[in-house]
Amino acid sequence: MTTQPISIKKLFRYFIIAVTGKETEFTTGSIRKAIFMLSVPMILEMLMESIFALVDIAYVSQVSVNAVATVGLTESVITLIYAVAIGLSMAATAVVARRVGAKDIKGAREAAVQAILLGIAVALIVGLFGFLFHKEILALMGAQPDLIAEGAGYTKWLIGGNITIMLLFLINAIFRGAGDASIAMWTLVLSNGLNIILDPLFIFGWGPFPELGVMGAAIATNIGRGTAVLFQLGILLFGWGRIRIAFHDFMVNTKVMLNLIKVSLGGIAQFLIGTSSWVFLMRIIAEFGSEVLAGYTIAIRVMLFTLMPSWGMSNAAATLVGQNLGAQQPDRAESSVWKTGKYNALFMGLVSLIYLFFAKEIVGWFNDNTVVVENGGLCLQIIAAGYIFYAYGMVVTQAFNGSGDTRTPTKINFISFWMFQLPVAYALAFLFDFGATGVFIAITTAEILLAVLAIVWFKRGKWKSFEV
């Protein structure tokens, strides 16, 4: 059976339908169309996030090298919070998608409420810890006294205000699971649009605003994300999406919450393994000085520009798997994964060529320090060499998560990151004197290993019978 090409006019019409959220049925009809309808808003959502990451680091780079290094160290720690947020989000997406696929909107609503309550509880505990011990966190990460003096405020406000990050992740995951990917996209447009506007005002003290330096970036982020969370809650309360929540729904439902916790534990463990490995990698990089650390930080931000859209396609695969399993169509779920993986690999392959040839020029846009550019460019080139593997690895692991099987990706992450990446990074950096280059090599080879393991285990098909 041959696939008919889509005309430009028809493609444009599909694009408009996708970003306006008018298509909500993904368990019947063309799989390719379903992937497009979900991927477009999710890619745009993640692209907006990555644009902000680049703009943010561009503004911070104008403050000082220490400011850039502060962002890198703080974000390596806050990725631990992301791990919890993403773990809960995976559970929310899987359960909501499964319920929506089975036409159980009441069950989807109950899962959404319990996910939000869980997120609030975790964020308040973490926020208090970050607000009180921000200086100690930076010191533990290997920051020098002058960096702590300059950047402690950024760490204090970013971790202290993590509830905006937590809820933004969680509620958008609920929207995605329900098939309302366009709402999640517009939420990020609002959040990051505000961040981009507010960043220079608070960092440089434009107009009536105080000049706060790197701390201003954290305050701008909290305001932008906090506003977006209020927008999300408004959509849920007023029923503008597929799921409507009333104030009286915000009560603890032990059965539903325990089920969410059970599903999310695998996701949290999965991302804690992945993100904690990044913390250790950042700690190793810090041994080579602030300039090398700044180059690495810029390279990672640049990578996010392409990894985030790729992650958007992976999220589309998760929603398609969840909804199609809920509709008792496992073969359609599997076919969706392989097709999404192919499209993601094509995209990432093209991007890798740009990074391989123009890495140093790209890093040079953000900082003209020779050491920063040299190390950032090398990091970008080495990591981009494995982009096609990343493409399939992201899609397949998210497919597991979309089915509710968060334990298998956890095992894969444990093998790839803790058993392989960290020992190899340490050995290459210090024992074999590769320095920071050894860390970059370890990152790429670990991601390739992850993709291979994910594909092998996915083909076994046990995820098709996973219950949530």
Side-chain angles (χ1 to χ4, degrees):
M1 181 180 178
T2 57
T3 302
Q4 293 296 319
I6 300 177
S7 67
I8 298 297
K9 184 178 180 181
K10 193 173 185 180
L11 195 65
F12 180 73
R13 188 170 79 249
Y14 281 178
F15 178 84
I16 297 300
I17 294 171
V19 297
T20 54
K22 292 179 180 178
E23 180 71 47
T24 57
E25 178 54 57
F26 305 110
T27 57
T28 58
S30 166
I31 293 176
R32 184 171 65 165
K33 181 182 175 184
I35 293 170
F36 185 85
M37 290 298 174
L38 279 171
S39 291
V40 165
M42 289 185 184
I43 288 169
L44 292 175
E45 174 192 351
M46 295 302 170
L47 189 61
M48 189 65 197
E49 184 74 9
S50 57
I51 287 172
F52 166 66
L54 288 180
V55 173
D56 188 54
I57 204 69
Y59 285 137
V60 171
S61 293
Q62 296 178 44
V63 178
S64 67
V65 169
N66 270 347
V68 178
T70 297
V71 171
L73 291 176
T74 302
E75 291 199 345
S76 67
V77 174
I78 211 163
T79 50
L80 298 176
I81 299 167
Y82 288 151
V84 178
I86 291 172
L88 288 172
S89 297
M90 284 190 303
T93 296
V95 176
V96 169
R98 190 72 71 94
R99 302 292 180 267
V100 169
K103 311 301 181 187
D104 179 12
I105 301 302
K106 180 178 180 291
R109 182 174 69 245
E110 289 173 344
V113 170
Q114 300 312 303
I116 292 170
L117 292 176
L118 273 172
I120 291 172
V122 172
L124 290 176
I125 295 169
V126 172
L128 180 63
F129 183 82
F131 199 82
L132 295 176
F133 301 107
H134 49 284
K135 292 182 179 179
E136 290 80 1
I137 289 171
L138 283 175
L140 190 63
M141 289 299 296
Q144 300 300 316
D146 61 327
L147 189 151
I148 295 173
E150 183 176 348
Y154 178 87
T155 306
K156 175 182 179 181
W157 288 107
L158 199 66
I159 299 180
N162 81 94
I163 191 169
T164 60
I165 298 170
M166 184 72 73
L167 291 182
L168 196 63
F169 265 105
L170 266 178
I171 301 176
N172 267 0
I174 292 165
F175 289 144
R176 291 190 209 103
D180 289 324
S182 65
I183 295 177
M185 177 197 73
W186 289 113
T187 298
L188 261 292
V189 169
L190 173 63
S191 168
N192 292 330
L194 280 174
N195 286 349
I196 290 169
I197 293 169
L198 293 175
D199 248 359
L201 301 181
F202 284 104
I203 293 173
F204 306 118
W206 291 358
F209 295 88
E211 184 179 348
L212 300 175
V214 68
M215 183 174 73
I219 292 173
T221 296
N222 283 336
I223 294 173
R225 286 177 172 162
T227 304
V229 169
L230 294 176
F231 175 68
Q232 289 175 319
L233 292 173
I235 291 170
L236 288 174
L237 291 169
F238 290 104
W240 296 331
R242 298 188 74 179
I243 295 176
R244 181 172 184 174
I245 295 172
F247 284 109
H248 61 75
D249 290 323
F250 282 90
M251 297 178 65
V252 174
N253 183 321
T254 307
K255 182 180 178 182
V256 176
M257 184 172 283
L258 287 176
N259 182 50
L260 268 173
I261 291 173
K262 183 184 75 173
V263 177
S264 67
L265 282 177
I268 292 170
Q270 175 188 150
F271 277 85
L272 277 175
I273 290 168
T275 53
S276 62
S277 70
W278 280 98
V279 172
F280 285 115
L281 292 178
M282 186 67 78
R283 183 66 182 83
I284 293 173
I285 294 286
E287 290 294 315
F288 302 104
S290 291
E291 291 174 324
V292 175
L293 184 60
Y296 176 68
T297 301
I298 291 171
I300 296 301
R301 283 296 186 97
V302 170
M303 281 174 53
L304 284 175
F305 188 77
T306 44
L307 286 178
M308 282 293 190
S310 185
W311 189 258
M313 266 190 267
S314 303
N315 285 337
T319 298
L320 287 170
V321 166
Q323 289 201 7
N324 282 293
L325 288 180
Q328 305 299 313
Q329 298 184 96
D331 290 341
R332 180 181 170 89
E334 183 174 6
S335 181
S336 300
V337 173
W338 294 125
K339 287 186 179 181
T340 307
K342 181 179 73 174
Y343 299 146
N344 206 17
L346 288 171
F347 167 71
M348 293 288 277
L350 290 173
V351 170
S352 67
L353 294 177
I354 297 172
Y355 287 168
L356 287 170
F357 288 108
F358 303 106
K360 292 181 181 178
E361 289 81 358
I362 292 170
V363 174
W365 294 343
F366 300 92
N367 195 288
D368 58 3
N369 182 295
T370 305
V371 178
V372 172
V373 171
E374 184 70 27
N375 282 275
L378 186 60
C379 176
L380 204 53
Q381 288 173 322
I382 292 173
I383 295 179
Y387 258 22
I388 291 177
F389 287 92
Y390 301 175
Y392 272 102
M394 279 190 284
V395 169
V396 175
T397 53
Q398 276 299 86
F400 277 118
N401 293 326
S403 74
D405 179 9
T406 54
R407 285 177 286 189
T408 298
T410 302
K411 296 173 186 174
I412 294 170
N413 278 11
F414 181 78
I415 294 169
S416 302
F417 298 139
W418 280 10
M419 294 183 67
F420 181 83
Q421 186 185 73
L422 293 180
V424 170
Y426 184 87
L428 290 178
F430 299 117
L431 302 182
F432 293 95
D433 293 323
F434 276 71
T437 303
V439 178
F440 308 152
I441 293 171
I443 292 170
T444 299
T445 50
E447 292 288 352
I448 292 172
L449 174 63
L450 182 147
V452 172
L453 291 175
I455 290 169
V456 169
W457 282 347
F458 185 79
K459 284 185 173 181
R460 293 177 181 175
K462 293 183 179 179
W463 56 273
K464 294 180 182 180
S465 57
F466 202 88
E467 294 294 331
V468 294

